[in-house]
Amino acid sequence: SQTIHQWPATLVQPVGSPLSLECTVEGTSNPNLYWYRQAAGRGLQLLFYSVGIGQISSEVPQNLSASRPQDRQFILSSKKLLLSDSGFYLCAWSVQVLFDSSYEQYFGPGTRLTVT
Amino acid sequence: EDQVTQSPEALRLQEGESSSLNCSYTVSGLRGLFWYRQDPGKGPEFLFTLYSAGEEKEKERLKATLTKKESFLHITAPKPEDSATYLCAVDTGRRALTFGSGTRLQVQP
């Protein structure tokens, strides 16, 4: 069965410090991978998605970046955090259930980031 | 621009009191509509995917239905453990989902 891991689970960082969040998926190959952010009381906002190694699409221009160095590894980074970067960061992977059908997405446990 | 609106924002039910959550959407082309359950501090848990108008899916006390403009999540005889935030999302072929802001459900014993 497939499993998705995220770490760390919680993180408190000062403004201006760097960030690195990691996500790994087990039990599948060549998954689509996603980073979402969920602000308090709001829906999930897609930040990045990747369909393969080194292939990253950005949905929202900001001071965050993403990388996919290995097939089942997805990393979210920032060189200098802002207060507005606080939130709940979720990694997800997806699989196409049927040819030309929708991609069902499954989420990891999330990382709670507080920028102080 | 794709839009997903969920209502109500919050719902409080007594145990056993059935109700429905609404998800209305405005999209250019729907390839799938998803329902997720999210507990506080955790990632969303996949519940259902609906692909076409008229489709229905059930899981325990939950039943999801889909029309051309909206989806309903019916909760029959809810229990306190059904308390959570329920999220609706749509896939319009971009391989990424557009989410609504969710409905917070509280079921009191």
Side-chain angles (χ1 to χ4, degrees), chain A residues 34 36 38 43 46 49 51 59 88 90 100 102-105 107-109, chain B residues 31 34 36 38 41-44 46 49 51 87 91 94-97 99-100:
Chain A
Y34 308 82
Y36 288 87
Q38 188 174 34
L46 177 67
Y49 72 91
V51 299
E59 290 290 309
F88 193 45
L90 290 157
D100 200 32
S102 184
Y103 285 72
E104 296 185 355
Q105 289 190 20
F107 287 83
Chain B
R31 299 189 68 173
F34 300 80
Y36 290 86
Q38 186 175 26
K42 298 193 175 181
F46 174 79
T49 307
Y51 292 102
L87 300 171
D91 173 11
R94 293 165 54 240
R95 297 184 180 178
L97 301 184
F99 280 82

PDB file of all heavy atoms in Angstrom, chain A residues 34 36 38 43 46 49 51 59 88 90 100 102-105 107-109, chain B residues 31 34 36 38 41-44 46 49 51 87 91 94-97 99-100:
ATOM      1  N   TYR A  34       2.298  17.149  -5.050  1.00  0.00           N
ATOM      2  CA  TYR A  34       1.728  18.481  -4.862  1.00  0.00           C
ATOM      3  C   TYR A  34       2.122  19.040  -3.502  1.00  0.00           C
ATOM      4  O   TYR A  34       2.241  18.314  -2.525  1.00  0.00           O
ATOM      5  CB  TYR A  34       0.192  18.421  -4.911  1.00  0.00           C
ATOM      6  CG  TYR A  34      -0.376  17.720  -6.123  1.00  0.00           C
ATOM      7  CD1 TYR A  34      -0.463  16.338  -6.164  1.00  0.00           C
ATOM      8  CD2 TYR A  34      -0.840  18.447  -7.220  1.00  0.00           C
ATOM      9  CE1 TYR A  34      -0.970  15.685  -7.276  1.00  0.00           C
ATOM     10  CE2 TYR A  34      -1.364  17.802  -8.327  1.00  0.00           C
ATOM     11  CZ  TYR A  34      -1.424  16.431  -8.350  1.00  0.00           C
ATOM     12  OH  TYR A  34      -1.939  15.780  -9.451  1.00  0.00           O
ATOM     13  N   TYR A  36       0.424  21.962  -0.996  1.00  0.00           N
ATOM     14  CA  TYR A  36      -0.676  22.875  -0.712  1.00  0.00           C
ATOM     15  C   TYR A  36      -0.368  23.612   0.593  1.00  0.00           C
ATOM     16  O   TYR A  36       0.342  23.106   1.457  1.00  0.00           O
ATOM     17  CB  TYR A  36      -1.990  22.120  -0.500  1.00  0.00           C
ATOM     18  CG  TYR A  36      -2.612  21.513  -1.736  1.00  0.00           C
ATOM     19  CD1 TYR A  36      -2.240  20.250  -2.152  1.00  0.00           C
ATOM     20  CD2 TYR A  36      -3.600  22.190  -2.453  1.00  0.00           C
ATOM     21  CE1 TYR A  36      -2.832  19.675  -3.277  1.00  0.00           C
ATOM     22  CE2 TYR A  36      -4.203  21.620  -3.565  1.00  0.00           C
ATOM     23  CZ  TYR A  36      -3.804  20.362  -3.961  1.00  0.00           C
ATOM     24  OH  TYR A  36      -4.404  19.795  -5.067  1.00  0.00           O
ATOM     25  N   GLN A  38      -2.599  25.558   3.759  1.00  0.00           N
ATOM     26  CA  GLN A  38      -3.916  25.806   4.324  1.00  0.00           C
ATOM     27  C   GLN A  38      -3.776  26.839   5.439  1.00  0.00           C
ATOM     28  O   GLN A  38      -3.190  26.552   6.478  1.00  0.00           O
ATOM     29  CB  GLN A  38      -4.517  24.510   4.881  1.00  0.00           C
ATOM     30  CG  GLN A  38      -5.959  24.630   5.321  1.00  0.00           C
ATOM     31  CD  GLN A  38      -6.517  23.272   5.732  1.00  0.00           C
ATOM     32  OE1 GLN A  38      -5.817  22.428   6.281  1.00  0.00           O
ATOM     33  NE2 GLN A  38      -7.797  23.047   5.466  1.00  0.00           N
ATOM     34  N   GLY A  43      -9.570  27.445   2.786  1.00  0.00           N
ATOM     35  CA  GLY A  43      -9.395  26.217   2.019  1.00  0.00           C
ATOM     36  C   GLY A  43      -7.948  25.982   1.658  1.00  0.00           C
ATOM     37  O   GLY A  43      -7.066  26.778   1.979  1.00  0.00           O
ATOM     38  N   LEU A  46      -3.225  25.549  -3.712  1.00  0.00           N
ATOM     39  CA  LEU A  46      -2.162  24.822  -4.389  1.00  0.00           C
ATOM     40  C   LEU A  46      -0.960  25.749  -4.581  1.00  0.00           C
ATOM     41  O   LEU A  46      -1.095  26.861  -5.077  1.00  0.00           O
ATOM     42  CB  LEU A  46      -2.645  24.324  -5.746  1.00  0.00           C
ATOM     43  CG  LEU A  46      -1.605  23.599  -6.589  1.00  0.00           C
ATOM     44  CD1 LEU A  46      -1.212  22.271  -5.930  1.00  0.00           C
ATOM     45  CD2 LEU A  46      -2.133  23.365  -7.996  1.00  0.00           C
ATOM     46  N   TYR A  49       3.048  21.791  -8.184  1.00  0.00           N
ATOM     47  CA  TYR A  49       2.853  20.389  -8.493  1.00  0.00           C
ATOM     48  C   TYR A  49       3.919  19.930  -9.458  1.00  0.00           C
ATOM     49  O   TYR A  49       4.515  20.719 -10.184  1.00  0.00           O
ATOM     50  CB  TYR A  49       1.438  20.080  -8.982  1.00  0.00           C
ATOM     51  CG  TYR A  49       1.087  20.553 -10.367  1.00  0.00           C
ATOM     52  CD1 TYR A  49       1.278  19.739 -11.482  1.00  0.00           C
ATOM     53  CD2 TYR A  49       0.497  21.792 -10.546  1.00  0.00           C
ATOM     54  CE1 TYR A  49       0.911  20.159 -12.740  1.00  0.00           C
ATOM     55  CE2 TYR A  49       0.133  22.225 -11.800  1.00  0.00           C
ATOM     56  CZ  TYR A  49       0.335  21.407 -12.898  1.00  0.00           C
ATOM     57  OH  TYR A  49      -0.024  21.830 -14.148  1.00  0.00           O
ATOM     58  N   VAL A  51       5.021  16.551 -12.124  1.00  0.00           N
ATOM     59  CA  VAL A  51       4.640  15.318 -12.813  1.00  0.00           C
ATOM     60  C   VAL A  51       5.845  14.406 -13.021  1.00  0.00           C
ATOM     61  O   VAL A  51       5.694  13.295 -13.550  1.00  0.00           O
ATOM     62  CB  VAL A  51       3.952  15.614 -14.156  1.00  0.00           C
ATOM     63  CG1 VAL A  51       2.685  16.415 -13.928  1.00  0.00           C
ATOM     64  CG2 VAL A  51       4.887  16.341 -15.103  1.00  0.00           C
ATOM     65  N   GLU A  59       1.972  27.562  -8.981  1.00  0.00           N
ATOM     66  CA  GLU A  59       0.640  28.118  -9.129  1.00  0.00           C
ATOM     67  C   GLU A  59       0.538  29.543  -8.586  1.00  0.00           C
ATOM     68  O   GLU A  59      -0.279  30.315  -9.042  1.00  0.00           O
ATOM     69  CB  GLU A  59      -0.383  27.242  -8.389  1.00  0.00           C
ATOM     70  CG  GLU A  59      -0.604  25.897  -9.049  1.00  0.00           C
ATOM     71  CD  GLU A  59      -1.334  26.034 -10.372  1.00  0.00           C
ATOM     72  OE1 GLU A  59      -2.384  26.699 -10.411  1.00  0.00           O
ATOM     73  OE2 GLU A  59      -0.850  25.467 -11.384  1.00  0.00           O
ATOM     74  N   PHE A  88      -0.446  25.664   7.469  1.00  0.00           N
ATOM     75  CA  PHE A  88      -0.377  24.210   7.500  1.00  0.00           C
ATOM     76  C   PHE A  88      -0.040  23.749   6.090  1.00  0.00           C
ATOM     77  O   PHE A  88      -0.809  23.971   5.157  1.00  0.00           O
ATOM     78  CB  PHE A  88      -1.735  23.673   7.968  1.00  0.00           C
ATOM     79  CG  PHE A  88      -1.747  22.223   8.334  1.00  0.00           C
ATOM     80  CD1 PHE A  88      -0.743  21.673   9.116  1.00  0.00           C
ATOM     81  CD2 PHE A  88      -2.782  21.407   7.913  1.00  0.00           C
ATOM     82  CE1 PHE A  88      -0.776  20.330   9.473  1.00  0.00           C
ATOM     83  CE2 PHE A  88      -2.816  20.065   8.268  1.00  0.00           C
ATOM     84  CZ  PHE A  88      -1.813  19.527   9.046  1.00  0.00           C
ATOM     85  N   LEU A  90       0.705  20.948   3.293  1.00  0.00           N
ATOM     86  CA  LEU A  90       0.303  19.586   2.993  1.00  0.00           C
ATOM     87  C   LEU A  90       0.917  19.125   1.685  1.00  0.00           C
ATOM     88  O   LEU A  90       0.868  19.834   0.684  1.00  0.00           O
ATOM     89  CB  LEU A  90      -1.218  19.494   2.901  1.00  0.00           C
ATOM     90  CG  LEU A  90      -1.953  19.656   4.228  1.00  0.00           C
ATOM     91  CD1 LEU A  90      -3.394  20.107   3.989  1.00  0.00           C
ATOM     92  CD2 LEU A  90      -1.945  18.347   4.991  1.00  0.00           C
ATOM     93  N   ASP A 100      -7.737   8.775 -18.917  1.00  0.00           N
ATOM     94  CA  ASP A 100      -8.400  10.040 -19.227  1.00  0.00           C
ATOM     95  C   ASP A 100      -9.433  10.423 -18.171  1.00  0.00           C
ATOM     96  O   ASP A 100     -10.330  11.198 -18.409  1.00  0.00           O
ATOM     97  CB  ASP A 100      -9.098   9.983 -20.605  1.00  0.00           C
ATOM     98  CG  ASP A 100      -9.361  11.381 -21.146  1.00  0.00           C
ATOM     99  OD1 ASP A 100      -8.557  12.284 -20.862  1.00  0.00           O
ATOM    100  OD2 ASP A 100     -10.388  11.583 -21.811  1.00  0.00           O
ATOM    101  N   SER A 102     -10.173  11.459 -13.844  1.00  0.00           N
ATOM    102  CA  SER A 102      -9.621  12.364 -12.857  1.00  0.00           C
ATOM    103  C   SER A 102      -8.512  11.690 -12.052  1.00  0.00           C
ATOM    104  O   SER A 102      -8.403  10.474 -12.020  1.00  0.00           O
ATOM    105  CB  SER A 102     -10.737  12.817 -11.923  1.00  0.00           C
ATOM    106  OG  SER A 102     -10.259  13.770 -11.012  1.00  0.00           O
ATOM    107  N   TYR A 103      -7.687  12.535 -11.425  1.00  0.00           N
ATOM    108  CA  TYR A 103      -6.605  12.054 -10.589  1.00  0.00           C
ATOM    109  C   TYR A 103      -7.025  12.146  -9.130  1.00  0.00           C
ATOM    110  O   TYR A 103      -7.236  13.237  -8.620  1.00  0.00           O
ATOM    111  CB  TYR A 103      -5.352  12.908 -10.795  1.00  0.00           C
ATOM    112  CG  TYR A 103      -4.628  12.648 -12.082  1.00  0.00           C
ATOM    113  CD1 TYR A 103      -5.143  13.065 -13.295  1.00  0.00           C
ATOM    114  CD2 TYR A 103      -3.418  11.974 -12.074  1.00  0.00           C
ATOM    115  CE1 TYR A 103      -4.473  12.821 -14.474  1.00  0.00           C
ATOM    116  CE2 TYR A 103      -2.730  11.730 -13.253  1.00  0.00           C
ATOM    117  CZ  TYR A 103      -3.262  12.154 -14.447  1.00  0.00           C
ATOM    118  OH  TYR A 103      -2.592  11.913 -15.601  1.00  0.00           O
ATOM    119  N   GLU A 104      -7.155  11.023  -8.458  1.00  0.00           N
ATOM    120  CA  GLU A 104      -7.482  11.041  -7.047  1.00  0.00           C
ATOM    121  C   GLU A 104      -6.241  11.412  -6.258  1.00  0.00           C
ATOM    122  O   GLU A 104      -5.162  10.894  -6.502  1.00  0.00           O
ATOM    123  CB  GLU A 104      -8.014   9.681  -6.598  1.00  0.00           C
ATOM    124  CG  GLU A 104      -9.324   9.316  -7.264  1.00  0.00           C
ATOM    125  CD  GLU A 104      -9.919   8.037  -6.727  1.00  0.00           C
ATOM    126  OE1 GLU A 104      -9.272   7.369  -5.904  1.00  0.00           O
ATOM    127  OE2 GLU A 104     -11.045   7.710  -7.145  1.00  0.00           O
ATOM    128  N   GLN A 105      -6.391  12.329  -5.330  1.00  0.00           N
ATOM    129  CA  GLN A 105      -5.259  12.798  -4.552  1.00  0.00           C
ATOM    130  C   GLN A 105      -5.363  12.344  -3.104  1.00  0.00           C
ATOM    131  O   GLN A 105      -6.438  12.364  -2.516  1.00  0.00           O
ATOM    132  CB  GLN A 105      -5.172  14.329  -4.594  1.00  0.00           C
ATOM    133  CG  GLN A 105      -4.734  14.856  -5.941  1.00  0.00           C
ATOM    134  CD  GLN A 105      -4.421  16.327  -5.927  1.00  0.00           C
ATOM    135  OE1 GLN A 105      -4.167  16.930  -4.891  1.00  0.00           O
ATOM    136  NE2 GLN A 105      -4.457  16.930  -7.105  1.00  0.00           N
ATOM    137  N   PHE A 107      -3.421  12.790   0.740  1.00  0.00           N
ATOM    138  CA  PHE A 107      -2.636  13.777   1.464  1.00  0.00           C
ATOM    139  C   PHE A 107      -1.789  13.159   2.573  1.00  0.00           C
ATOM    140  O   PHE A 107      -2.156  12.147   3.172  1.00  0.00           O
ATOM    141  CB  PHE A 107      -3.554  14.839   2.070  1.00  0.00           C
ATOM    142  CG  PHE A 107      -4.124  15.775   1.052  1.00  0.00           C
ATOM    143  CD1 PHE A 107      -5.245  15.425   0.323  1.00  0.00           C
ATOM    144  CD2 PHE A 107      -3.525  17.003   0.809  1.00  0.00           C
ATOM    145  CE1 PHE A 107      -5.766  16.289  -0.632  1.00  0.00           C
ATOM    146  CE2 PHE A 107      -4.046  17.869  -0.140  1.00  0.00           C
ATOM    147  CZ  PHE A 107      -5.162  17.513  -0.863  1.00  0.00           C
ATOM    148  N   GLY A 108      -0.684  13.836   2.848  1.00  0.00           N
ATOM    149  CA  GLY A 108       0.155  13.488   3.977  1.00  0.00           C
ATOM    150  C   GLY A 108      -0.368  14.108   5.256  1.00  0.00           C
ATOM    151  O   GLY A 108      -1.395  14.804   5.247  1.00  0.00           O
ATOM    152  N   PRO A 109       0.355  13.895   6.371  1.00  0.00           N
ATOM    153  CA  PRO A 109      -0.115  14.371   7.670  1.00  0.00           C
ATOM    154  C   PRO A 109       0.060  15.868   7.879  1.00  0.00           C
ATOM    155  O   PRO A 109      -0.536  16.429   8.794  1.00  0.00           O
ATOM    156  CB  PRO A 109       0.736  13.575   8.662  1.00  0.00           C
ATOM    157  CG  PRO A 109       1.976  13.260   7.900  1.00  0.00           C
ATOM    158  CD  PRO A 109       1.546  13.062   6.481  1.00  0.00           C
TER     159      PRO A 109
ATOM    160  N   ARG B  31     -13.933  17.259 -14.438  1.00  0.00           N
ATOM    161  CA  ARG B  31     -13.454  15.900 -14.677  1.00  0.00           C
ATOM    162  C   ARG B  31     -13.663  15.020 -13.443  1.00  0.00           C
ATOM    163  O   ARG B  31     -13.629  13.805 -13.546  1.00  0.00           O
ATOM    164  CB  ARG B  31     -11.983  15.914 -15.068  1.00  0.00           C
ATOM    165  CG  ARG B  31     -11.730  16.683 -16.342  1.00  0.00           C
ATOM    166  CD  ARG B  31     -10.326  16.504 -16.832  1.00  0.00           C
ATOM    167  NE  ARG B  31     -10.081  15.141 -17.300  1.00  0.00           N
ATOM    168  CZ  ARG B  31      -8.959  14.759 -17.911  1.00  0.00           C
ATOM    169  NH1 ARG B  31      -8.011  15.622 -18.103  1.00  0.00           N
ATOM    170  NH2 ARG B  31      -8.803  13.526 -18.288  1.00  0.00           N
ATOM    171  N   PHE B  34     -14.467  15.825  -5.666  1.00  0.00           N
ATOM    172  CA  PHE B  34     -13.944  15.052  -4.552  1.00  0.00           C
ATOM    173  C   PHE B  34     -14.519  15.548  -3.236  1.00  0.00           C
ATOM    174  O   PHE B  34     -14.723  16.740  -3.040  1.00  0.00           O
ATOM    175  CB  PHE B  34     -12.414  15.198  -4.476  1.00  0.00           C
ATOM    176  CG  PHE B  34     -11.695  14.735  -5.702  1.00  0.00           C
ATOM    177  CD1 PHE B  34     -11.608  15.536  -6.822  1.00  0.00           C
ATOM    178  CD2 PHE B  34     -11.095  13.487  -5.724  1.00  0.00           C
ATOM    179  CE1 PHE B  34     -10.938  15.108  -7.946  1.00  0.00           C
ATOM    180  CE2 PHE B  34     -10.421  13.053  -6.851  1.00  0.00           C
ATOM    181  CZ  PHE B  34     -10.339  13.865  -7.959  1.00  0.00           C
ATOM    182  N   TYR B  36     -13.518  15.209   0.907  1.00  0.00           N
ATOM    183  CA  TYR B  36     -12.522  14.817   1.890  1.00  0.00           C
ATOM    184  C   TYR B  36     -13.047  15.138   3.285  1.00  0.00           C
ATOM    185  O   TYR B  36     -13.830  16.074   3.477  1.00  0.00           O
ATOM    186  CB  TYR B  36     -11.205  15.584   1.705  1.00  0.00           C
ATOM    187  CG  TYR B  36     -10.414  15.220   0.489  1.00  0.00           C
ATOM    188  CD1 TYR B  36     -10.663  15.818  -0.746  1.00  0.00           C
ATOM    189  CD2 TYR B  36      -9.383  14.289   0.564  1.00  0.00           C
ATOM    190  CE1 TYR B  36      -9.926  15.498  -1.857  1.00  0.00           C
ATOM    191  CE2 TYR B  36      -8.630  13.957  -0.549  1.00  0.00           C
ATOM    192  CZ  TYR B  36      -8.910  14.563  -1.753  1.00  0.00           C
ATOM    193  OH  TYR B  36      -8.163  14.235  -2.862  1.00  0.00           O
ATOM    194  N   GLN B  38     -11.481  16.171   7.071  1.00  0.00           N
ATOM    195  CA  GLN B  38     -10.260  16.620   7.725  1.00  0.00           C
ATOM    196  C   GLN B  38     -10.504  16.814   9.217  1.00  0.00           C
ATOM    197  O   GLN B  38     -11.358  17.605   9.620  1.00  0.00           O
ATOM    198  CB  GLN B  38      -9.742  17.922   7.111  1.00  0.00           C
ATOM    199  CG  GLN B  38      -8.389  18.346   7.658  1.00  0.00           C
ATOM    200  CD  GLN B  38      -7.811  19.559   6.968  1.00  0.00           C
ATOM    201  OE1 GLN B  38      -8.540  20.379   6.417  1.00  0.00           O
ATOM    202  NE2 GLN B  38      -6.494  19.695   6.981  1.00  0.00           N
ATOM    203  N   GLY B  41      -5.717  19.479  12.761  1.00  0.00           N
ATOM    204  CA  GLY B  41      -4.286  19.220  12.798  1.00  0.00           C
ATOM    205  C   GLY B  41      -3.823  18.063  11.948  1.00  0.00           C
ATOM    206  O   GLY B  41      -2.667  17.639  12.051  1.00  0.00           O
ATOM    207  N   LYS B  42      -4.706  17.539  11.081  1.00  0.00           N
ATOM    208  CA  LYS B  42      -4.342  16.395  10.245  1.00  0.00           C
ATOM    209  C   LYS B  42      -4.602  16.690   8.780  1.00  0.00           C
ATOM    210  O   LYS B  42      -5.309  17.630   8.433  1.00  0.00           O
ATOM    211  CB  LYS B  42      -5.125  15.157  10.685  1.00  0.00           C
ATOM    212  CG  LYS B  42      -4.821  14.750  12.122  1.00  0.00           C
ATOM    213  CD  LYS B  42      -5.347  13.376  12.443  1.00  0.00           C
ATOM    214  CE  LYS B  42      -4.915  12.962  13.845  1.00  0.00           C
ATOM    215  NZ  LYS B  42      -5.389  11.594  14.193  1.00  0.00           N
ATOM    216  N   GLY B  43      -4.012  15.871   7.916  1.00  0.00           N
ATOM    217  CA  GLY B  43      -4.235  16.010   6.496  1.00  0.00           C
ATOM    218  C   GLY B  43      -5.615  15.502   6.100  1.00  0.00           C
ATOM    219  O   GLY B  43      -6.196  14.662   6.780  1.00  0.00           O
ATOM    220  N   PRO B  44      -6.174  16.009   5.003  1.00  0.00           N
ATOM    221  CA  PRO B  44      -7.486  15.541   4.543  1.00  0.00           C
ATOM    222  C   PRO B  44      -7.471  14.052   4.210  1.00  0.00           C
ATOM    223  O   PRO B  44      -6.505  13.541   3.639  1.00  0.00           O
ATOM    224  CB  PRO B  44      -7.738  16.386   3.289  1.00  0.00           C
ATOM    225  CG  PRO B  44      -6.889  17.599   3.454  1.00  0.00           C
ATOM    226  CD  PRO B  44      -5.670  17.107   4.165  1.00  0.00           C
ATOM    227  N   PHE B  46      -9.310  11.095   2.076  1.00  0.00           N
ATOM    228  CA  PHE B  46     -10.141  10.929   0.894  1.00  0.00           C
ATOM    229  C   PHE B  46     -11.403  10.143   1.232  1.00  0.00           C
ATOM    230  O   PHE B  46     -11.361   9.109   1.898  1.00  0.00           O
ATOM    231  CB  PHE B  46      -9.332  10.199  -0.185  1.00  0.00           C
ATOM    232  CG  PHE B  46     -10.123   9.832  -1.396  1.00  0.00           C
ATOM    233  CD1 PHE B  46     -10.405  10.760  -2.372  1.00  0.00           C
ATOM    234  CD2 PHE B  46     -10.596   8.533  -1.562  1.00  0.00           C
ATOM    235  CE1 PHE B  46     -11.129  10.422  -3.490  1.00  0.00           C
ATOM    236  CE2 PHE B  46     -11.331   8.181  -2.676  1.00  0.00           C
ATOM    237  CZ  PHE B  46     -11.590   9.125  -3.645  1.00  0.00           C
ATOM    238  N   THR B  49     -14.922  10.136  -4.975  1.00  0.00           N
ATOM    239  CA  THR B  49     -14.810  10.868  -6.224  1.00  0.00           C
ATOM    240  C   THR B  49     -16.086  10.639  -7.012  1.00  0.00           C
ATOM    241  O   THR B  49     -16.546   9.504  -7.140  1.00  0.00           O
ATOM    242  CB  THR B  49     -13.631  10.389  -7.086  1.00  0.00           C
ATOM    243  OG1 THR B  49     -12.436  10.409  -6.309  1.00  0.00           O
ATOM    244  CG2 THR B  49     -13.451  11.315  -8.286  1.00  0.00           C
ATOM    245  N   TYR B  51     -17.886  11.487 -10.838  1.00  0.00           N
ATOM    246  CA  TYR B  51     -17.416  11.857 -12.170  1.00  0.00           C
ATOM    247  C   TYR B  51     -18.484  12.481 -13.060  1.00  0.00           C
ATOM    248  O   TYR B  51     -18.162  13.261 -13.952  1.00  0.00           O
ATOM    249  CB  TYR B  51     -16.826  10.642 -12.876  1.00  0.00           C
ATOM    250  CG  TYR B  51     -15.551  10.141 -12.256  1.00  0.00           C
ATOM    251  CD1 TYR B  51     -15.546   9.023 -11.429  1.00  0.00           C
ATOM    252  CD2 TYR B  51     -14.342  10.795 -12.467  1.00  0.00           C
ATOM    253  CE1 TYR B  51     -14.367   8.565 -10.849  1.00  0.00           C
ATOM    254  CE2 TYR B  51     -13.158  10.345 -11.895  1.00  0.00           C
ATOM    255  CZ  TYR B  51     -13.185   9.230 -11.093  1.00  0.00           C
ATOM    256  OH  TYR B  51     -12.014   8.786 -10.515  1.00  0.00           O
ATOM    257  N   LEU B  87     -14.379  18.786   3.207  1.00  0.00           N
ATOM    258  CA  LEU B  87     -13.881  19.598   2.107  1.00  0.00           C
ATOM    259  C   LEU B  87     -14.356  19.033   0.776  1.00  0.00           C
ATOM    260  O   LEU B  87     -14.352  17.823   0.571  1.00  0.00           O
ATOM    261  CB  LEU B  87     -12.349  19.629   2.109  1.00  0.00           C
ATOM    262  CG  LEU B  87     -11.668  20.197   3.349  1.00  0.00           C
ATOM    263  CD1 LEU B  87     -10.165  19.953   3.284  1.00  0.00           C
ATOM    264  CD2 LEU B  87     -11.955  21.674   3.485  1.00  0.00           C
ATOM    265  N   ASP B  91     -11.679  18.832  -9.990  1.00  0.00           N
ATOM    266  CA  ASP B  91     -10.574  18.645 -10.920  1.00  0.00           C
ATOM    267  C   ASP B  91     -11.088  19.040 -12.300  1.00  0.00           C
ATOM    268  O   ASP B  91     -12.054  18.479 -12.789  1.00  0.00           O
ATOM    269  CB  ASP B  91     -10.136  17.185 -10.905  1.00  0.00           C
ATOM    270  CG  ASP B  91      -9.090  16.881 -11.967  1.00  0.00           C
ATOM    271  OD1 ASP B  91      -8.557  17.833 -12.582  1.00  0.00           O
ATOM    272  OD2 ASP B  91      -8.794  15.698 -12.179  1.00  0.00           O
ATOM    273  N   ARG B  94      -6.454  20.061 -14.845  1.00  0.00           N
ATOM    274  CA  ARG B  94      -5.147  20.662 -14.631  1.00  0.00           C
ATOM    275  C   ARG B  94      -4.267  19.784 -13.756  1.00  0.00           C
ATOM    276  O   ARG B  94      -3.166  20.180 -13.393  1.00  0.00           O
ATOM    277  CB  ARG B  94      -5.314  22.030 -13.972  1.00  0.00           C
ATOM    278  CG  ARG B  94      -5.977  23.052 -14.844  1.00  0.00           C
ATOM    279  CD  ARG B  94      -6.438  24.252 -14.041  1.00  0.00           C
ATOM    280  NE  ARG B  94      -5.367  24.825 -13.254  1.00  0.00           N
ATOM    281  CZ  ARG B  94      -5.414  24.920 -11.931  1.00  0.00           C
ATOM    282  NH1 ARG B  94      -6.453  24.480 -11.257  1.00  0.00           N
ATOM    283  NH2 ARG B  94      -4.415  25.445 -11.258  1.00  0.00           N
ATOM    284  N   ARG B  95      -4.779  18.589 -13.407  1.00  0.00           N
ATOM    285  CA  ARG B  95      -4.077  17.660 -12.525  1.00  0.00           C
ATOM    286  C   ARG B  95      -3.909  18.214 -11.121  1.00  0.00           C
ATOM    287  O   ARG B  95      -3.189  17.665 -10.320  1.00  0.00           O
ATOM    288  CB  ARG B  95      -2.704  17.274 -13.090  1.00  0.00           C
ATOM    289  CG  ARG B  95      -2.787  16.547 -14.401  1.00  0.00           C
ATOM    290  CD  ARG B  95      -1.422  16.102 -14.851  1.00  0.00           C
ATOM    291  NE  ARG B  95      -1.485  15.409 -16.118  1.00  0.00           N
ATOM    292  CZ  ARG B  95      -0.442  14.940 -16.761  1.00  0.00           C
ATOM    293  NH1 ARG B  95       0.757  15.076 -16.247  1.00  0.00           N
ATOM    294  NH2 ARG B  95      -0.576  14.319 -17.917  1.00  0.00           N
ATOM    295  N   ALA B  96      -4.553  19.312 -10.825  1.00  0.00           N
ATOM    296  CA  ALA B  96      -4.522  19.879  -9.474  1.00  0.00           C
ATOM    297  C   ALA B  96      -5.951  20.229  -9.091  1.00  0.00           C
ATOM    298  O   ALA B  96      -6.772  20.533  -9.944  1.00  0.00           O
ATOM    299  CB  ALA B  96      -3.641  21.112  -9.420  1.00  0.00           C
ATOM    300  N   LEU B  97      -6.228  20.163  -7.820  1.00  0.00           N
ATOM    301  CA  LEU B  97      -7.588  20.364  -7.344  1.00  0.00           C
ATOM    302  C   LEU B  97      -7.820  21.793  -6.879  1.00  0.00           C
ATOM    303  O   LEU B  97      -6.916  22.432  -6.335  1.00  0.00           O
ATOM    304  CB  LEU B  97      -7.882  19.413  -6.179  1.00  0.00           C
ATOM    305  CG  LEU B  97      -7.734  17.928  -6.486  1.00  0.00           C
ATOM    306  CD1 LEU B  97      -8.140  17.099  -5.267  1.00  0.00           C
ATOM    307  CD2 LEU B  97      -8.554  17.530  -7.690  1.00  0.00           C
ATOM    308  N   PHE B  99     -10.127  23.713  -4.196  1.00  0.00           N
ATOM    309  CA  PHE B  99     -10.883  23.379  -2.998  1.00  0.00           C
ATOM    310  C   PHE B  99     -11.842  24.485  -2.591  1.00  0.00           C
ATOM    311  O   PHE B  99     -11.572  25.682  -2.787  1.00  0.00           O
ATOM    312  CB  PHE B  99      -9.936  23.129  -1.824  1.00  0.00           C
ATOM    313  CG  PHE B  99      -9.310  21.774  -1.823  1.00  0.00           C
ATOM    314  CD1 PHE B  99      -8.197  21.512  -2.593  1.00  0.00           C
ATOM    315  CD2 PHE B  99      -9.845  20.754  -1.052  1.00  0.00           C
ATOM    316  CE1 PHE B  99      -7.614  20.252  -2.591  1.00  0.00           C
ATOM    317  CE2 PHE B  99      -9.277  19.498  -1.041  1.00  0.00           C
ATOM    318  CZ  PHE B  99      -8.160  19.245  -1.820  1.00  0.00           C
ATOM    319  N   GLY B 100     -12.953  24.079  -1.976  1.00  0.00           N
ATOM    320  CA  GLY B 100     -13.798  24.990  -1.237  1.00  0.00           C
ATOM    321  C   GLY B 100     -13.212  25.204   0.146  1.00  0.00           C
ATOM    322  O   GLY B 100     -12.236  24.562   0.530  1.00  0.00           O
TER     323      GLY B 100
END
